[in-house]
């Protein structure tokens, strides 16, 4: 299935700035509000269903014998035409 990028932003931010951004997403999720992603004149608003699939991925890219790049990805995913509910164990962040 082809992928269409609706919005993308990448920038170096402080931990505090990232936490504030994520907090605003959390507040929208908790209240059931739409989530709008914006940068300059570009924006996209998403109506997140009540039970999307939530994926957390921690990766290391690079050579096995040397330094690489670490990343943490948080992803919400759902079908456009239906509510989705993923399966799996309980997720905890410690």
């Amino acid at each position: 299935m082809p992928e269409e990028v609706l919005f993308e932003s990448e920038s170096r931010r402080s931990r505090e700035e990232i936490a504030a951004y994520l907090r605003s997403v959390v507040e929208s999720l908790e209240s059931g509000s739409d989530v709008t992603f914006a940068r300059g004149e570009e924006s996209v608003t998403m109506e997140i269903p009540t039970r999307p699939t939530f994926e957390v991925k921690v990766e290391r890219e690079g050579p096995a014998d040397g330094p690489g790049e670490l990343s943490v990805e948080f992803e919400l995913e759902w079908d456009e035409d239906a509510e989705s509910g993923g399966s799996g164990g309980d997720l905890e962040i410690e």
Side-chain angles (χ1 to χ4, degrees):
M1 173 184 330
E3 181 179 285
E4 175 189 2
V5 176
L6 302 176
F7 181 87
E8 186 172 33
S9 176
E10 183 174 329
S11 59
R12 192 169 294 276
R13 302 284 179 172
S14 70
R15 291 168 56 153
E16 293 80 10
E17 289 172 316
I18 294 167
Y21 184 83
L22 291 174
R23 220 178 273 95
S24 68
V25 173
V26 167
E27 289 170 1
S28 292
L29 288 172
E30 286 179 332
S31 70
S33 301
D34 292 351
V35 180
T36 298
F37 302 91
R39 184 186 67 227
E41 304 227 351
E42 179 184 11
S43 72
V44 65
T45 298
M46 305 295 294
E47 181 180 345
I48 314 276
T50 55
R51 295 197 54 85
T53 300
F54 181 52
E55 178 182 344
V56 177
K57 187 187 301 185
V58 178
E59 296 179 316
R60 179 187 178 281
E61 293 182 34
D65 60 347
E69 181 178 86
L70 299 171
S71 67
V72 178
E73 298 176 12
F74 301 99
E75 181 174 283
L76 298 174
E77 186 174 74
W78 63 94
D79 292 331
E80 285 186 277
D81 58 356
E83 288 278 321
S84 49
S87 60
D90 290 338
L91 171 68
E92 295 180 25
I93 297 177
E94 300 176 359

